[in-house]
């Protein structure tokens, strides 16, 4: 279309007179209503005898000034510009996942509370589970990597009934941290605000809460790794079945850009930013050295891939989608 034609077209479009010229044939019918507004948002693949399903909970946003907090603006700005990371708010996916061992269905993290004002487009876990054909009452265990509101949020509204047949597993250190009467003094101020909601979840679940020590097995084939730093009791998971392994990083590695290129760049959301940085590098080193398949919580969906060493840091290599499950 020539420029003048385009101008005329736009003028007519604004006036509402081009609709008939653009009549798009209708293909939808009552039996086939066409695409729905929201996509299902799940992705399944096989890991040995297990089936893994990545579940999209939606997206949330973090202020850019809460990231790379120990980096000079003259270094941070060009990096963020080059990686299309917006100057004010950075978008993050939230992706819980389900491990189906054949005997048990284990949900790892639960997304955000639906209707959260800072994440209007998250809290979709229930819809996503339904779309994937996974009934909430078929889940026998929920594992929390940690208790930040974007991970425990799916349990907050109705903790006892959300997953009525599931035990809750998390690290003993994490449980003690958030359940402590003086939790506020042990948490950063922004995190302390959500401590009462977290405590209500534990109270509602009662003896269904099972604390474990870092390094213990959550279940046969699923080991908890102590990856403290993001929180004092943060765990990642190493899942093994047959000859295959999957590393679930949780928030030890929260993005695929500077967390990989510059693991030493700190974020406000790590309770201990120094330790968080050390843990991040150690975990990425292990993933690269052991050629582990990795699932990330805040990576672009579905967030499954590998880690390779590059320069002084690492690079994220997303896997191709597979259709073998
Ligand atoms: Zn998170």
């Amino acid at each position: 279309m020539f420029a003048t034609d385009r101008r005329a077209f736009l003028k007519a479009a604004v006036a509402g007179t081009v609709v008939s010229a653009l009549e798009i044939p209708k293909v939808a019918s009552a039996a086939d209503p066409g695409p729905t507004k929201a996509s299902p948002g799940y992705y399944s693949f096989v890991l040995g005898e297990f089936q893994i399903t990545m579940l999209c909970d939606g997206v949330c946003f973090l202020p850019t000034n809460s990231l790379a907090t120990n980096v000079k603006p003259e270094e941070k700005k060009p990096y963020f510009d080059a990686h299309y990371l917006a100057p004010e708010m950075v978008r993050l996916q939230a992706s819980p996942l389900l491990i189906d061992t054949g005997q048990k269905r284990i949900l790892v993290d639960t997304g955000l509370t639906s209707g959260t004002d800072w994440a209007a487009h998250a809290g979709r876990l229930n819809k996503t589970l339904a779309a994937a054909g996974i009934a909430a009452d078929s889940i026998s265990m929920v594992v929390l990597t940690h208790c930040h509101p974007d991970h425990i949020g799916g349990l907050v509204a109705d903790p006892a009934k959300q997953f009525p047949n599931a035990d809750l597993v998390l690290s003993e250190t994490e449980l003690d941290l958030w359940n402590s009467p003086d939790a506020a003094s042990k948490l950063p101020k922004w995190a302390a605000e959500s401590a009462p909601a977290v405590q209500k979840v534990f109270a509602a679940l009662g003896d269904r809460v099972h604390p474990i020590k870092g390094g213990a097995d959550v279940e046969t084939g699923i080991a908890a790794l102590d990856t403290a730093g993001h929180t004092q009791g943060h765990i990642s998971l190493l899942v093994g079945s047959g000859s295959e392994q999957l590393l679930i990083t949780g928030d030890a590695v929260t993005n695929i850009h500077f967390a990989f290129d510059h693991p030493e760049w700190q974020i406000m959301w790590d309770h201990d930013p120094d330790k968080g940085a050390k843990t991040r590098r150690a975990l990425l080193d292990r993933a690269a050295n052991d050629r582990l398949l990795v699932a990330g919580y805040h990576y672009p969906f579905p967030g499954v891939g590998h880690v390779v060493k590059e320069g002084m840091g690492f690079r994220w290599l997303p896997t191709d989608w597979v259709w073998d499950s």
Side-chain angles (χ1 to χ4, degrees):
M1 191 186 290
F2 291 110
T4 48
D5 292 342
R6 195 184 298 137
R7 267 200 295 277
F9 175 86
L10 289 173
K11 220 169 153 185
V14 170
T17 56
V18 294
V19 175
S20 59
L22 288 177
E23 281 282 303
I24 296 167
K26 283 202 169 76
V27 290
S29 66
D32 173 14
T36 54
K37 254 179 154 179
S39 60
Y42 62 92
Y43 168 63
S44 287
F45 60 96
V46 167
L47 185 88
E49 300 291 312
F50 295 174
Q51 183 169 15
I52 310 292
T53 303
M54 306 298 297
L55 300 156
C56 180
D57 183 67
V59 296
C60 51
F61 293 85
L62 291 178
T64 305
N65 64 10
S66 67
L67 309 172
T69 49
N70 59 335
V71 183
K72 290 194 177 92
E74 57 269 31
E75 191 178 358
K76 177 177 172 178
K77 188 175 182 315
Y79 181 92
F80 274 55
D81 284 350
H83 292 81
Y84 293 88
L85 294 164
E88 287 173 359
M89 298 294 271
V90 170
R91 185 195 304 257
L92 293 178
Q93 302 279 153
S95 306
L97 66 82
L98 189 92
I99 306 165
D100 190 333
T101 67
Q103 275 81 46
K104 282 191 172 178
R105 284 180 166 174
I106 301 167
L107 180 67
V108 181
D109 289 331
T110 66
L112 289 92
T113 306
S114 185
T116 304
D117 57 358
W118 54 278
H121 300 291
R124 299 181 48 81
L125 179 61
N126 287 345
K127 288 179 192 162
T128 303
L129 283 168
I134 300 162
D137 63 5
S138 72
I139 293 171
S140 49
M141 185 189 292
V142 173
V143 180
L144 293 177
T145 56
H146 64 298
C147 293
H148 283 165
D150 54 324
H151 296 255
I152 197 174
L155 285 170
V156 166
D158 196 352
K161 292 190 186 150
Q162 177 59 50
F163 303 107
N165 298 315
D167 289 332
L168 179 67
V169 174
L170 75 168
S171 89
E172 188 178 63
T173 308
E174 192 73 358
L175 177 65
D176 291 348
L177 170 69
W178 291 85
N179 229 5
S180 160
D182 59 343
S185 68
K186 299 174 181 171
L187 293 164
K189 199 167 166 232
W190 62 266
E193 288 170 15
S194 58
V198 174
Q199 290 175 0
K200 273 187 196 162
V201 171
F202 297 145
L205 291 174
D207 61 7
R208 286 163 59 191
V209 179
H210 297 281
I212 55 162
K213 292 195 187 302
D217 278 354
V218 168
E219 182 67 34
T220 305
I222 306 173
L225 309 178
D226 177 353
T227 45
H230 187 65
T231 64
Q232 289 89 321
H234 187 281
I235 53 171
S236 302
L237 299 176
L238 187 61
V239 184
S241 180
S243 60
E244 297 185 57
Q245 286 190 304
L246 173 71
L247 174 66
I248 300 168
T249 57
D251 277 8
V253 186
T254 49
N255 69 82
I256 61 160
H257 298 299
F258 60 87
F260 280 71
D261 288 330
H262 302 287
E264 70 283 3
W265 286 12
Q266 298 178 358
I267 58 173
M268 193 188 92
W269 313 102
D270 282 352
H271 291 193
D272 182 338
D274 276 332
K275 194 166 186 180
K278 288 191 183 93
T279 297
R280 187 155 47 246
R281 182 173 284 282
L283 198 61
L284 289 168
D285 243 332
R286 180 172 182 173
N289 288 336
D290 295 353
R291 298 178 65 84
L292 297 173
L293 186 64
V294 171
Y297 190 77
H298 290 302
Y299 307 171
F301 193 79
V304 182
H306 291 95
V307 178
V308 290
K309 291 188 182 184
E310 188 168 84
M312 300 295 285
F314 303 87
R315 185 156 54 95
W316 174 245
L317 288 179
T319 60
D320 293 318
W321 282 49
V322 291
W323 301 97
D324 59 359
S325 60

